[in-house]
Amino acid sequence: MEDIDRIEVIRGPGAALWGANAVNGVINIITKNSSQTQGGLVNAGGGNQEQGFGSFRYGAKLGEDTTARAYVKGFNRGQNTLLSGGKAGDDWNEVQGGFRMDSKLSTQDALTVQGDIYQANINQFAYYSQITPPFQVTENVKNNDYGGNLLSRLQHTFSPTSDYSLQFYYDGYAHNEGMYSDSRNTLDLDFQHRFALLDWHEIIWGLGYRFGHDRIVGNQLQNGSAATLNINPASVNDQLFSGFIQDELTLIDNKLWLTIGSRFEHNDYSGFEGQPSAKIMWAPHNQHRLWAGISRAVRTPSRIEKGGSVLTGVVPPQALPFPPYGTPPVAVVAQGNSGYMSEEVISYEGGYRTTFSKSVSLDVTGFYNDYRDLRYALQGTPSFNGAYVTQPLDFTNKLGGKTYGVEIATIWQMLDWWRWDVNYSWLHTQLNNLGTSQTNISPQQRMSLRGAFSPWQAIDLDFWLRYVDTNFSVGSFGATYIKGYVTLDLRAAWRPYKDIELSLVGQNLLAQNHLEYVAENQTFPTAIARGMYGKISWKF
Amino acid sequence: MRKWAKKFLAPLLGLGLLLNTQPPMLAQSLEEQTVLAALALNIVRFTSWPAEAHLKNKIDLCVVGDNVVQQSFASIDHKAVGNKTLEIINLSRLRNYEDCHVLYISELKQNVLLQVFVEIKKRPLLTIGEGYDFAVQGGMVGLENVNGKITLHVNLPVVRESNLNISARLLKLAKIIGN
């Protein structure tokens, strides 16, 4: 956490710049240059949910123009509670290590090399279906994950208005769980060039290539029953070619800007995708900014949607009133579809930003999203093999709909040492072609109130109150309404010496536990438990 | 940066992520920037330009920064500096900054900043920015917040190279980089 420089959240479709699947927003986590993380840092702590965690990081100068850091960290997180009572069996632990090296090769060239490796054990109390009695079984599953990545980036700067970067990365992971085992290797090459044209254009363009190799295999249940997930083919190589160009035009200096751009890509799942975007911003006064935009983004099909099949439930045989006759068991199978296409959104947005006094800023955004070709599981034709009936649920792109809403964010710096952050969002979801609710619906309202104050120089007090409206979840359990909830988190920190900080954190304090979501399949509804932990951190 | 910024934002950011939420906005407050703008005005008052800078009756102070930074500099627009007037010019993009007399850079990517310094090397153009690093890397005056007090870092060799003269009265209050 201490190695993060900043986190950028870009709301709305970001596909023109970031590529397919950047549909509702992009979160960009930028880590610090290693020159900013010199010396040592040790963190350690523990509590009832965060049972134990620790980290060690050390940064050093490797030469006149080269700095580096390395870290190792780990944690052990406790289990939550099932909604029906009892332990959820979802405790997990992870250990991770990595490095980053930054080198100034010349005043114009900078090289960054970084990598991480990790290993995690994730436990799960899960249910699976089988076509023989008792038709549904539960298992305590121990999932295992490991992986690593390596990234290298060279940046060359011609002048203040022109630079390019060339980036290479490799990522590999293996994930083994009750239902399936999955491994994937990805190689990615990315080139970006930014330059100024005339006095009023700023152009960024880039090219990318990605190669992936994966293997997904369904696993037999612990009792020897057949795998509930199958995918065909089990292993594929896939490629992604992409290019993008964006031009930011200053139409009136300091007053009016227009940004237009598009990404063009070709992937092996949905073929060619064009994802354009246009945004206009007007600053009538440097205190006020108004903007509006329109963009298209797609979510490309997954391997499962194209060629997977998952046994989501089995209806046990029913005895008919005239023995010995009865109905056979019915296996409900969600079935991929080789013709499955990308889901698409066309998004219309507009907003207003102001800093209307020295201490208050306000950001209001309104949006209207028009979705097409969303996933919808359509009942297919049942078949009977003599022992049981198979009822396929075929993945189709038959669902459409729209969402619209408003998001408001304000910051109030009440005093030099007291800051408030207030956020509110309202979302309306309307799906076509659906009589009753047959798919998940996001909460309509969310509210967040955060306060951070520092009454004395060595003391920080933070609190965070959050409200989330009722939402609706559909899974193999059927439909569940998840009640609205309010949570409160508190943090107090004290620095008895300059480089030592002691802190105490309470999370989800208002209830013993509360339900936030229900998984579609496999796991029982699980409530998030109240947590407390203490932490000590030492810099040297 | 002000006291709260350094003290709060890092832990807040940490908390935010642990709690799996949207991160807080990190923009500096207008109030904080207004202090820096007032300070920039005072630095200009203690600086004299060589004849080659062709200073007539106004001093152009160009600002590179977001709308909050621009708004804060509006408070010192048209202020008198000796017998001259300070004029604020907002550079919403990095063009024609060579013609400014003062360049205030709030935030620029590292690689871009270094190239700006290369391009204006030895010109009589006073550069002011935020942080100790700004001055170390080739800027003239870096404003750094140390425990709630703003410290001035002056890179004297760069100032001298450009034939600018910063008054000894100001230098006495500053930390000098180079000899």
Side-chain angles (χ1 to χ4, degrees):
Chain A
M1 211 59 62
E2 287 78 3
D3 294 342
I4 290 172
D5 180 40
R6 63 185 192 276
I7 301 175
E8 297 173 347
V9 180
I10 301 146
R11 68 158 313 287
L17 222 50
W18 299 95
N21 305 323
V23 174
N24 290 319
V26 177
I27 298 177
N28 209 358
I29 299 175
I30 295 149
T31 55
K32 283 179 184 160
N33 187 296
S34 54
S35 64
Q36 294 171 292
T37 55
Q38 295 289 291
L41 174 68
V42 178
N43 285 319
N48 66 333
Q49 284 299 113
E50 300 291 337
Q51 291 179 337
F53 58 89
S55 69
F56 174 76
R57 181 255 282 159
Y58 194 77
K61 243 176 134 71
L62 297 185
E64 184 67 10
D65 295 306
T66 304
T67 52
R69 66 164 175 262
Y71 76 92
V72 57
K73 65 180 181 186
F75 66 79
N76 191 11
R77 198 161 292 170
Q79 51 187 318
N80 289 298
T81 312
L82 292 177
L83 194 62
S84 56
K87 294 288 181 192
D90 58 350
D91 49 325
W92 60 303
N93 61 69
E94 181 174 310
V95 57
Q96 181 176 336
F99 73 99
R100 170 167 171 157
M101 189 201 77
D102 296 277
S103 190
K104 262 188 245 166
L105 304 178
S106 73
T107 55
Q108 291 184 300
D109 296 279
L111 175 72
T112 299
V113 181
Q114 62 183 60
D116 306 276
I117 51 170
Y118 59 88
Q119 195 271 335
N121 299 305
I122 305 170
N123 297 323
Q124 199 172 13
F125 178 58
Y127 66 88
Y128 302 98
S129 298
Q130 60 182 38
I131 47 151
T132 51
F135 306 107
Q136 191 182 72
V137 293
T138 55
E139 288 181 5
N140 276 303
V141 190
K142 290 186 191 306
N143 301 336
N144 179 267
D145 283 73
Y146 55 91
N149 61 72
L150 185 69
L151 181 146
S152 157
R153 182 173 52 243
L154 180 72
Q155 183 178 48
H156 180 81
T157 312
F158 295 106
S159 76
T161 51
S162 173
D163 54 41
Y164 74 80
S165 70
L166 185 63
Q167 177 179 287
F168 154 87
Y169 82 73
Y170 162 79
D171 180 273
Y173 73 81
H175 168 77
N176 300 299
E177 67 159 73
M179 203 166 165
Y180 64 92
S181 294
D182 166 22
S183 65
R184 187 168 176 90
N185 292 288
T186 306
L187 273 172
D188 186 277
L189 266 174
D190 195 53
F191 172 81
Q192 273 194 28
H193 179 204
R194 179 185 70 97
F195 65 99
L197 188 71
L198 306 175
D199 255 6
W200 50 295
H201 291 271
E202 178 134 336
I203 295 169
I204 310 178
W205 67 278
L207 291 171
Y209 171 74
R210 185 178 297 174
F211 175 81
H213 169 80
D214 72 6
R215 188 173 172 79
I216 309 171
V217 181
N219 290 335
Q220 273 190 356
L221 300 186
Q222 284 168 2
N223 65 10
S225 290
T228 57
L229 180 143
N230 286 291
I231 193 157
N232 186 27
S235 178
V236 299
N237 294 333
D238 49 28
Q239 298 188 93
L240 173 71
F241 300 89
S242 65
F244 77 92
I245 182 159
Q246 178 183 294
D247 186 5
E248 189 188 311
L249 300 89
T250 304
L251 301 179
I252 304 172
D253 205 25
N254 286 312
K255 285 266 182 283
L256 191 65
W257 299 264
L258 173 68
T259 306
I260 50 171
S262 185
R263 182 173 272 264
F264 305 97
E265 60 185 52
H266 185 277
N267 71 74
D268 290 347
Y269 298 93
S270 64
F272 178 81
E273 300 284 2
Q275 299 176 91
S277 123
K279 208 162 260 188
I280 191 154
M281 180 149 77
W282 177 45
H285 178 274
N286 60 13
Q287 228 170 310
H288 306 282
R289 280 171 186 233
L290 288 150
W291 64 275
I294 174 168
S295 43
R296 174 182 190 266
V298 301
R299 184 187 71 82
T300 56
S302 70
R303 288 265 276 124
I304 293 271
E305 284 164 334
K306 279 281 189 185
S309 75
V310 182
L311 179 65
T312 61
V314 174
V315 183
Q318 309 289 317
L320 291 177
F322 30 89
Y325 301 103
T327 62
V330 179
V332 181
V333 179
Q335 192 76 50
N337 166 3
S338 60
Y340 194 79
M341 302 177 293
S342 288
E343 298 182 343
E344 179 197 302
V345 63
I346 296 192
S347 180
Y348 307 84
E349 300 163 282
Y352 169 61
R353 269 175 230 150
T354 180
T355 42
F356 54 77
S357 92
K358 282 191 179 177
S359 56
V360 184
S361 70
L362 170 73
D363 190 335
V364 182
T365 307
F367 59 90
Y368 176 90
N369 294 322
D370 190 1
Y371 293 95
R372 250 174 262 177
D373 298 334
L374 298 182
R375 189 174 78 204
Y376 182 64
L378 198 67
Q379 281 200 3
T381 317
S383 60
F384 183 59
N385 68 355
Y388 60 91
V389 174
T390 300
Q391 170 62 64
L393 288 175
D394 295 322
F395 287 156
T396 68
N397 293 92
K398 286 199 190 302
L399 190 62
K402 55 189 177 223
T403 61
Y404 51 86
V406 180
E407 289 169 14
I408 301 168
T410 56
I411 301 172
W412 180 26
Q413 187 72 46
M414 187 174 77
L415 293 167
D416 205 14
W417 46 272
W418 192 331
R419 169 182 161 132
W420 297 90
D421 280 82
V422 187
N423 293 288
Y424 172 77
S425 72
W426 181 83
L427 169 75
H428 180 79
T429 308
Q430 193 176 323
L431 297 165
N432 309 333
N433 325 334
L434 280 187
T436 54
S437 289
Q438 291 165 32
T439 187
N440 296 354
I441 306 282
S442 300
Q444 193 170 65
Q445 299 187 80
R446 288 169 196 265
M447 204 187 299
S448 156
L449 172 68
R450 211 153 28 179
F453 57 113
S454 188
W456 298 277
Q457 193 157 346
I459 305 261
D460 297 340
L461 299 170
D462 307 332
F463 77 87
W464 186 30
L465 192 68
R466 216 158 45 101
Y467 165 73
V468 178
D469 207 353
T470 307
N471 64 82
F472 187 71
S473 184
V474 181
S476 51
F477 263 109
T480 317
Y481 270 103
I482 296 160
K483 276 188 292 199
Y485 55 88
V486 180
T487 66
L488 174 68
D489 295 350
L490 295 173
R491 173 180 181 274
W494 174 45
R495 283 172 295 279
Y497 305 99
K498 190 169 153 277
D499 292 323
I500 291 184
E501 182 180 271
L502 302 167
S503 56
L504 195 62
V505 175
Q507 297 170 306
N508 303 310
L509 293 171
L510 295 186
Q512 183 65 41
N513 52 62
H514 70 279
L515 187 66
E516 291 194 5
Y517 65 92
V518 176
E520 276 183 353
N521 205 353
Q522 275 196 68
T523 48
F524 296 100
T526 302
I528 312 293
R530 177 189 287 156
M532 293 280 287
Y533 68 85
K535 177 179 168 183
I536 177 164
S537 122
W538 174 42
K539 270 185 217 161
F540 59 94
Chain B
M1 283 214 272
R2 279 205 175 183
K3 198 165 69 187
W4 64 265
K6 285 215 164 145
K7 263 195 328 199
F8 276 140
L9 295 185
L12 250 189
L13 197 60
L15 188 71
L17 249 203
L18 272 177
L19 301 171
N20 229 340
T21 170
Q22 307 112 339
M25 293 188 203
L26 290 176
Q28 288 179 308
S29 75
L30 182 58
E31 205 175 349
E32 183 184 352
Q33 276 296 338
T34 308
V35 173
L36 297 181
L39 206 52
L41 172 65
N42 279 313
I43 296 165
V44 172
R45 284 182 169 148
F46 282 96
T47 305
S48 52
W49 275 259
E52 65 193 80
H54 305 297
L55 239 64
K56 294 198 177 101
N57 49 7
K58 66 181 182 79
I59 297 175
D60 290 338
L61 191 157
C62 299
V63 178
V64 178
D66 61 17
N67 60 322
V68 173
V69 178
Q70 293 183 2
Q71 207 177 324
S72 68
F73 274 82
S75 64
I76 60 161
D77 198 9
H78 303 302
K79 289 269 184 200
V81 178
N83 55 356
K84 299 179 177 60
T85 313
L86 192 69
E87 186 139 323
I88 303 298
I89 297 169
N90 291 317
L91 297 180
S92 69
R93 50 193 41 206
L94 213 47
R95 303 290 156 77
N96 307 323
Y97 52 83
E98 304 90 340
D99 305 331
C100 311
H101 304 115
V102 187
L103 185 58
Y104 184 91
I105 298 175
S106 165
E107 207 189 340
L108 265 188
K109 281 187 181 161
Q110 180 72 12
N111 63 319
V112 175
L113 185 65
L114 291 177
Q115 290 309 309
V116 170
F117 293 149
V118 169
E119 292 211 344
I120 60 177
K121 204 170 165 59
K122 296 186 181 172
R123 278 174 192 260
L125 172 47
L126 175 67
T127 52
I128 308 174
E130 290 164 27
Y132 165 75
D133 285 349
F134 181 84
V136 168
Q137 290 167 342
M140 293 180 190
V141 185
L143 309 175
E144 189 194 18
N145 180 302
V146 183
N147 297 325
K149 251 184 76 185
I150 294 178
T151 303
L152 267 61
H153 297 278
V154 176
N155 190 329
L156 215 46
V158 178
V159 175
R160 296 222 165 108
E161 244 179 18
S162 61
N163 289 326
L164 289 171
N165 187 31
I166 297 181
S167 147
R169 278 167 65 201
L170 185 77
L171 293 180
K172 241 191 280 176
L173 302 172
K175 290 196 172 165
I176 306 297
I177 295 164
N179 28 0

